[in-house]
């Protein structure tokens, strides 16, 4: 494009029309709908973008634009392995999923905050202890532990927005090993680990509540506050909370361990949609981690529900800097060179580029917080999240326009500083439909490699066979190695991936058989010691008053016990150890009519506690995972006596 940027609204429309006629149409529609909302109308703008019903809403794009010949091949043939692990949040399902990229094949689901029948998560003694009786969750953001700016292959962290929890998966076992409750917080949303080493994981409280939330100030929202919380990524223990006045949305960290970031919408402190959209300006909150640590160590804290809380409401100070950005920002992503935090506008068609090395001067009062903003390119309507290729380009997901916009960061900075000869927008591609998060291969590390980009679309509408009212989400794979972005794959996803990270496969090395080092093994070993049992060898029934402990090995195709006897209504605890030492040889334990089903992986122990039927009789237990030609014979009888 040869002309420089225009200044009038009309010229901007023309620009958009050139880049994407669809974008210009939806921009006009968006603006009229927004004014309807502001006037008290129904907030329906977010579902009417593309390809569907009504008005001037012609389909966004012809389907299946073929990839250009020079691009990468996303096909992963039989027997071939993907180049990347994708870690996807499962949204309302409360889980994490692992996909192969670029095949986009779902390889595994890791239950986290949900009850899962296949593995017994939520039913085994260990998972019950972690979940504390809660059986639902809402996972949004999945991030891995870091060392020196890239993934160290040890942990995956994920938030539960619904019950304000942070969970950790140990990559060696791909199972949850810790879950921590975040006090004084509701709607725990953005999380991000520090990137210079496995240090803090910061967690944003999105919903403002009275502090403490014990019946005070119920009807005085001006007194509500939210928390920016730090959890130690090694111990999973709460370190501190910083109390702020505004809603905290997405989180990020820098690459040096100095700052954490939170987008703040609703700085006006409203409790209704209209109130939350009132102010034209909101903020990127920048947290100064060294100053916060020093203040916590100096005891400048209030204890609220056991948490050390620093009050940073009101004016900027040592702890927080509020960088003004256009109203209601959403995503914040830090470029792989560590230089910029990019704030996506959501209700503004812009991204604000914050130069991180200017923040120290702003904290010192030498420049204004807004002076740290060095570019604000127009990227489209409803920018949500930004990914990177490691070559100076940013890729922003644009929700309302249903496009991905590729733009150049340096050119955006030049344009902002007055150079009218540059145009930062490089390309736009239509996605289907209403893209939320985006991410790219290694994009959240200093090793961003610019190979694959995913657009996690909230609506699939007509892209798949009609499966009823709830359609799959649509995860689209985009080849980012060419000048033009090319969609090369549609991947249906069950409700509802929010975020994903895409990790080079050499960084992820899970075990084939369990190494029995997780915390939970001390629990089993303690019981076994108490009862004089060797878990790897013995099968034995131990009566302890009303409780019957049943130790049982499993080795294809046999359980260590072919029967055991209990009294009707007894508490039964089965502690099962899979002594097979063979890759992929899992056994299960299902108990007929007792609602028990759990997985026991090679060299693993699992335990489950349940109440035997009040009706005496014979109840078979059986192996529920196909393990052997005689798998169906792998069973035994629980004999329940009167
Ligand atoms: Cu944008 Cu929860 Cu990350 Cu969803 S949030 S899109
Ligand atoms: Cu063991 Cu099937």
């Amino acid at each position: 494009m040869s002309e420089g940027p225009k200044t009038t609204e009309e010229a901007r429309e023309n620009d958009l029309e050139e880049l994407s006629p669809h974008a210009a149409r939806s921009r006009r529609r968006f603006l009229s709908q927004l004014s309807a909302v502001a006037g008290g109308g129904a907030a329906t703008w977010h579902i009417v973008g593309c390809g569907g019903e009504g008005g001037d809403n012609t389909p966004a794009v012809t389907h299946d634009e073929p990839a250009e010949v020079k691009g990468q091949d996303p096909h992963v043939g039989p027997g071939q392995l993907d180049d990347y692990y994708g870690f996807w949040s499962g949204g309302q399902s409360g889980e994490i999923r692992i996909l192969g990229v670029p095949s986009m094949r779902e390889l595994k689901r890791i239950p986290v905050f949900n009850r899962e029948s296949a593995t017994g998560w939520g039913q085994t003694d260990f998972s019950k202890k972690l979940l504390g009786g809660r059986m639902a969750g809402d996972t949004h953001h999945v991030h891995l532990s870091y060392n020196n700016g890239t993934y160290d292959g040890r942990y995956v962290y994920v938030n539960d927005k619904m019950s304000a929890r942070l969970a950790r998966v140990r990559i060696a076992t791909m199972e949850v090993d810790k879950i921590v409750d975040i006090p004084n917080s509701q709607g725990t949303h953005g999380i991000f680990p520090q990137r210079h080493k496995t240090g803090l994981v910061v967690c944003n409280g999105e919903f403002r509540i009275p502090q403490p939330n014990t019946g005070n100030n119920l009807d005085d929202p001006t007194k509500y506050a939210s928390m920016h919380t730090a959890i130690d990524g090694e111990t999973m223990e709460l370190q501190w909370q910083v109390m702020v006045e505004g809603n905290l949305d997405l989180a990020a960290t820098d690459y040096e361990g100095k700052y954490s970031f939170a987008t703040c919408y609703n700085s006006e402190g409203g409790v209704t949609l209209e109130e939350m959209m009132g102010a034209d300006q909101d903020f990127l909150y920048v947290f100064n981690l060294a100053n916060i640590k020093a203040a916590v160590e100096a005891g400048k804290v209030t204890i609220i529900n056991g948490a050390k809380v620093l009050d940073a409401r009101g004016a900027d100070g040592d702890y927080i800097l509020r960088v003004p950005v256009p109203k209601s920002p959403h995503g914040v992503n830090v470029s792989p060179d560590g230089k910029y935090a990019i704030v996506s506008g959501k209700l503004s068609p812009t991204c604000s580029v914050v130069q991180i090395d200017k923040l120290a001067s702003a904290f010192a009062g030498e420049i204004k917080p807004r002076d740290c903003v060095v570019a604000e390119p127009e990227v489209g309507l409803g920018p949500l999240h930004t990914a990177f290729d490691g070559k100076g380009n940013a890729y922003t997901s644009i929700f309302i326009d249903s496009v991905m916009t590729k733009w150049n960061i340096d050119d955006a900075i030049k344009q902002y500083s007055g150079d009218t000869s540059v145009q930062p927008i490089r390309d736009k591609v239509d996605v289907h439909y209403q893209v939320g998060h985006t991410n790219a291969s290694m994009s959240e590390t200093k090793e961003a490699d610019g190979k694959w980009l995913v657009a996690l679309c909230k609506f699939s509408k007509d892209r798949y066979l009609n499966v009823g009212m709830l359609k799959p989400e649509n995860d689209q794979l985009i080849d980012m190695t060419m000048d033009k972005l090319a969609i090369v794959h549609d991947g249906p996803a069950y409700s509802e991936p929010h975020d994903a990270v895409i990790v080079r496969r050499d960084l992820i090395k899970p075990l084939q058989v369990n190494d029995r080092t997780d915390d939970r093994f001390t629990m089993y070993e303690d019981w076994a010691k108490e009862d004089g049992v060797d878990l790897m060898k013995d099968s034995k029934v131990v009566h302890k008053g009303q409780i019957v402990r049943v130790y049982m090995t499993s080795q294809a195709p046999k359980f260590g016990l072919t029967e055991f006897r209990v009294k009707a209504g007894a508490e039964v605890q089965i502690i099962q150890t899979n002594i097979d030492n063979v890759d992929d040889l899992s056994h299960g334990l299902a108990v007929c009519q007792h609602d028990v089903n759990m997985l026991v992986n090679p060299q693993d122990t699992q335990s489950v506690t349940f109440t035997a039927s009040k009706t005496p009789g014979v109840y078979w237990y059986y192996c529920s995972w196909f393990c052997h030609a005689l798998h169906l014979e792998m069973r035994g009888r629980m004999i329940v006596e009167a």
Side-chain angles (χ1 to χ4, degrees), residues 140-141 159 161 189-190 206 249-250 330-331 384-385 435-437 456 458 496-499:
H140 280 234
H141 299 112
N159 73 307
K161 177 165 173 173
H189 191 215
E206 186 175 346
D249 199 9
L250 271 290
H330 185 56
L384 291 189
H385 300 281
V435 56
H437 268 276
L456 306 184
K458 301 292 187 190
E496 173 189 318
H498 281 259
D499 200 0

Side-chain angles (χ1 to χ4, degrees), residues 166-183:
L166 181 73
R168 184 175 77 180
V169 167
R170 186 180 163 219
I171 288 177
T173 58
M174 294 294 189
E175 291 166 10
V176 172
D177 77 336
K178 304 244 190 224
I179 295 180
V180 55
D181 281 281
I182 300 172

Side-chain angles (χ1 to χ4, degrees), residues 99 135 163 205 378 508 515:
L99 273 70
M135 289 297 154
S163 291
E378 283 212 16
I508 303 295
D515 63 359

